Amino acid sequence: MSAPQFEIQLIAVVVAAACALPGTFLVLRRMALMSDAISHAILIGIVLAFFITEDLASPLLIVGATLTGVVTVSLVELLHRTGRVREDAAIGLVFPLLFSVAVILIARYADNVHLDTDAVLLGELAFAPFDRVILAGWDLGPRALFIMGAILALNAAVIGLLYKELKLVTFDAGLAAALGFTPAAVHYLLMALVSITAVGAFDAVGSILVVALMIAPPATAYLLTDRLPLMLGLGVLVGAAAAIGGYWLAHWLDASIAGSMATVAGLLFGAACLLAPGRGLIAVARRRAAQRWEFAQTMLAIHLFHHRDAPDAAEESRVAHLETQLRWERRFAEQVVRRAERRGLIRRDGQTLTLTDRGAQLAQEALGG
Amino acid sequence: MALPELFHDLLFDYTLRTVALGAAILGCVSGTLGSYAVLRRQSLLGDAISHAALPGIALAFLLTGSKAPLVLVLGAAAAGWLGTLLVMGVVRTTRVKFDSALGIILSVFFGVGLVLLTFIQKRPDATQAGLDRFLFGQAATLLAHDVVTMAALGGLALLTMLLFWKELKLLSFDPEFGSTLGFPIRALDVLLTTLLVVAIVVGLQTVGVVLMSALVVAPAAAARQWTNRLGVMVALAGSFGALAGVSGAVLSSSAARLPTGPLIVLCASALVLLSLCLAPNRGIVWNALRQRRNRRRLQVDGEAIP
């Protein structure tokens, strides 16, 4: 692995971690699409700041873009507050408008500079190691690594310092307001973090990947745990895994790194949907199947228990009779009988079934006795 | 440009006529079907569908080697449709919420599309030229037969909507009641989504992935302000969409280097703003006037009391 390869992966992991932290709160607060809106709308901030500074490397671009992110959020809220447009529609109205204005401005006045809309949307991580910070002749490393490292530190610091407030506002905004915290302030702070992260990351990975890394890893973590600290940690881990896995997928296919990272993030999410312990589709299906057999065996035990000492016991205890009595199909009835026998609930003698003591106990428990 | 001259160009200039007609069709279809998305609080579904369509376009090209609009549109529709079904499936079977599911499908499908596009780009025998116009849209490259394809697909979608008018209305306003009446609500949900997918892929190559979602939301959000009746709203949204399309196309022809897609979105947004302010009963100006009138009446009444 060469030095640029290592640096690309390092940058990708830092970007993923920086995105996963605020992303966790977006997912929990059901505002995942705010990341989509912000990451598109910052384009106009970058364009306007560029018109002022005429320098694509200026830090003012980051300031301008972050401000636009916050302005976007306020515009969405303003529109929503008029009571005439729902929140989802408000998001869908604001960011395409800002994006359109930015595209028009670029086409009209900045067509000759390297400020492409595709560069913003798609990003190119492969070029990141070539833009280096050189101080007094010393090569300190890629610029993107410094920017994203600082943003990661900022996100971690803010979330660490305001952990209690963020948690409370996320899970019970009403209580937070009643206790004297200001949910609105926390909300805007979070949105500012999302904006800064999106601005820092778009340069390296493009705005669509920002959305992928902010939403997919925390959502994957959300399927795996019920605890906020674990979800934050798992989100970072899943994001890092997507970053490294995506890099090697891109290497193998000779394709876009950002796209591959999003693909791997999606695959990890899909795997969690299927395999998550307790909550995944497979676990749920297995639990349902187990419950079905458990229920059927209990029914069988109750049935036999009812007719144990009755005069028709011999007739009622036949396997064939279960078909009419419990409305079971023959194959299903046979399987239930076999499973119950294995568990020691019944004894089978040819076609006749007898309840064991354990079976009788199960029936009595089920009947509430 | 003077107004008569503009109308003359609109009728007789081939490029402008084609572009304006295409934009009108796409605005009308997406505005009409967007009404349902807005009413069902799924405004951003359009955004997800348009992003999710990208891998379909790339895959259709990779498999057939053809850049015919119909092939690419079919690929886009298949991928957009699959993406939406996945969103619905994730929401139904896991505890991940609608917004997160939408965000994941949107970005992951787009990422897969990006991988495929760069993969195509690097093959020696093919160029991806013409594929990336789906990303950002190039209305100026619209040809007459593109417009015919758009009109046919869009017309089909609108016709289906009219055929299932009653069912879709029920689905939008009271799906629980609908299922107690025995309507196959989930199948209807899929049908409506399919129609929206058609509307979106029809517009993709004109306005591109990012801006397509605005054309689903804006005309419908504007139309919503003027009426409380579904029929009126759908018709108004279709007209607003068409109006935004034509005016965007005309404006972009009025000066150099004015991209059509963003201008269409700008026009649609202007319609929303106008509607929000001026619409009778719901509009902000209307409301302010009513409040002032009420206050004055109260004051007069108050003075009348001795």
Side-chain angles (χ1 to χ4, degrees), chain B residues 37-241:
Chain B
V38 168
L39 285 174
R40 302 179 65 207
R41 307 187 179 206
Q42 295 181 341
S43 303
L44 293 165
L45 195 59
D47 196 32
I49 293 174
S50 57
H51 282 83
L54 186 65
I57 296 165
L59 213 56
F61 173 69
L62 210 55
L63 292 178
T64 64
S66 152
K67 269 184 229 162
L70 195 62
V71 174
L72 299 184
V73 160
L74 281 179
W81 193 70
L82 179 71
T84 322
L85 287 196
L86 279 177
V87 170
M88 287 154 72
V90 165
V91 171
R92 212 181 50 242
T93 57
T94 73
R95 66 168 176 169
V96 172
K97 308 297 182 295
F98 183 66
D99 62 313
S100 297
L102 219 52
I104 291 172
I105 296 295
L106 174 161
S107 55
V108 169
F109 268 59
F110 194 79
V112 173
L114 214 53
V115 169
L116 291 172
L117 273 189
T118 42
F119 183 71
I120 292 171
Q121 213 170 17
K122 290 191 174 133
R123 293 199 321 173
D125 57 326
T127 57
Q128 59 154 3
L131 289 186
D132 52 351
R133 75 171 176 184
F134 278 92
L135 270 186
F136 303 105
Q138 276 170 10
T141 62
L142 272 184
L143 298 173
H145 69 259
D146 291 333
V147 175
V148 172
T149 313
M150 288 166 72
L153 285 172
L156 203 64
L158 292 189
L159 200 66
T160 317
M161 179 199 79
L162 288 179
L163 277 177
F164 288 93
W165 179 261
K166 174 185 64 191
E167 286 82 0
L168 295 180
K169 189 175 186 175
L170 197 54
L171 173 71
S172 306
F173 291 106
D174 203 343
E176 284 84 14
F177 179 56
S179 60
T180 60
L181 288 180
F183 285 99
I185 288 300
R186 215 143 99 195
L188 286 171
D189 201 356
V190 173
L191 174 75
L192 187 55
T193 306
T194 312
L195 296 182
L196 193 60
V197 168
V198 172
I200 284 168
V201 295
V202 159
L204 269 188
Q205 62 168 332
T206 310
V207 296
V209 164
V210 179
L211 301 181
M212 194 55 225
S213 62
L215 290 186
V216 173
V217 183
R224 175 67 188 91
Q225 310 308 322
W226 298 86
T227 174
N228 283 328
R229 301 195 56 82
L230 180 67
V232 182
M233 177 176 165
V234 167
L236 262 180
S239 325
F240 283 162

Side-chain angles (χ1 to χ4, degrees), chain A:
Chain A
M1 191 160 57
S2 67
Q5 280 185 326
F6 175 74
E7 278 174 359
I8 290 174
Q9 289 177 66
L10 193 61
I11 295 171
V13 168
V14 172
V15 170
C19 286
L21 291 177
T24 301
F25 292 97
L26 288 181
V27 167
L28 287 174
R29 302 178 51 135
R30 307 188 183 192
M31 295 172 29
L33 290 165
M34 235 21 157
S35 66
D36 187 34
I38 288 177
S39 63
H40 284 94
I42 53 175
L43 181 63
I44 190 164
I46 294 169
V47 171
L48 290 178
F50 174 74
F51 284 155
I52 298 171
T53 61
E54 308 252 312
D55 173 18
L56 269 178
S58 162
L60 207 66
L61 259 60
I62 293 192
V63 177
T66 308
L67 281 179
T68 349
V70 177
V71 168
T72 310
V73 177
S74 341
L75 280 177
V76 168
E77 219 139 278
L78 188 72
L79 208 54
H80 178 52
R81 258 221 219 110
T82 61
R84 289 161 179 84
V85 182
R86 295 211 182 104
E87 189 166 23
D88 60 321
I91 296 176
L93 287 170
V94 169
F95 86 83
L97 174 62
L98 295 177
F99 191 80
S100 297
V101 174
V103 171
I104 292 173
L105 286 178
I106 291 178
R108 284 291 282 177
Y109 304 110
D111 217 13
N112 46 350
V113 291
H114 175 71
L115 191 61
D116 293 341
T117 35
D118 22 342
V120 173
L121 278 186
L122 314 180
E124 193 42 272
L125 200 53
F127 298 146
F130 301 117
D131 184 6
R132 307 194 73 85
V133 177
I134 293 169
L135 202 68
W138 288 80
D139 182 0
L140 296 177
R143 207 165 70 94
L145 190 59
F146 278 94
I147 295 176
M148 285 317 296
I151 290 173
L152 173 61
L154 176 74
N155 285 348
V158 171
I159 289 175
L161 283 174
L162 296 176
Y163 180 74
K164 178 185 67 198
E165 284 80 359
L166 276 167
K167 188 175 179 177
L168 190 58
V169 169
T170 300
F171 290 108
D172 197 340
L175 178 65
L179 290 177
F181 298 103
T182 37
V186 177
H187 171 68
Y188 274 97
L189 187 69
L190 182 66
M191 290 305 152
L193 285 189
V194 171
S195 306
I196 294 173
T197 313
V199 177
F202 99 91
D203 194 27
V205 297
S207 59
I208 296 299
L209 187 64
V210 172
V211 178
L213 287 179
M214 273 197 190
I215 307 308
T220 310
Y222 185 52
L223 289 171
L224 298 174
T225 176
D226 281 332
R227 301 198 49 80
L228 181 58
L230 264 180
M231 187 177 160
L232 283 164
L234 276 174
V236 170
L237 276 184
V238 172
I244 293 175
Y247 175 78
W248 289 105
L249 180 69
H251 187 73
W252 177 56
L253 288 173
D254 192 14
S256 151
I257 300 178
S260 306
M261 281 164 61
T263 308
V264 175
L267 289 177
L268 290 174
F269 175 74
C273 280
L274 287 179
L275 303 173
R279 212 172 276 121
L281 292 183
I282 291 178
V284 169
R286 284 181 58 164
R287 194 165 58 230
R288 292 233 171 100
Q291 280 168 345
R292 180 162 154 251
W293 291 120
E294 174 69 33
F295 181 71
Q297 287 171 34
T298 312
M299 286 293 289
L300 176 63
I302 290 173
H303 173 71
L304 292 175
F305 185 73
H306 269 314
H307 297 282
R308 194 160 51 165
D309 300 319
D312 56 351
E315 171 63 21
E316 292 287 344
S317 310
R318 290 165 56 82
V319 178
H321 190 73
L322 298 175
E323 285 170 52
T324 48
Q325 192 66 26
L326 296 173
R327 293 174 186 268
W328 287 349
E329 299 212 352
R330 163 148 296 195
R331 272 196 30 218
F332 183 71
E334 286 285 350
Q335 269 183 304
V336 174
V337 167
R338 226 175 304 135
R339 278 163 189 265
E341 209 182 345
R342 220 181 306 148
R343 262 179 69 190
L345 298 176
I346 56 170
R347 260 192 315 276
R348 182 173 187 168
D349 189 19
Q351 275 294 303
T352 318
L353 308 172
T354 24
L355 209 54
T356 61
D357 289 343
R358 259 182 82 190
Q361 200 189 344
L362 176 72
Q364 271 175 318
E365 273 169 20
L367 289 168

Side-chain angles (χ1 to χ4, degrees), chain B residues 272-302:
Chain B
V272 174
L273 202 61
L274 275 178
S275 307
L276 276 177
C277 292
L278 301 179
N281 291 324
R282 276 173 74 101
I284 291 169
V285 174
W286 185 277
N287 241 4
L289 283 178
R290 187 166 49 201
Q291 258 175 15
R292 219 177 68 180
R293 206 169 48 225
N294 283 348
R295 201 176 300 139
R296 191 165 303 158
R297 197 159 55 205
L298 276 175
Q299 271 172 358
V300 172
D301 287 356

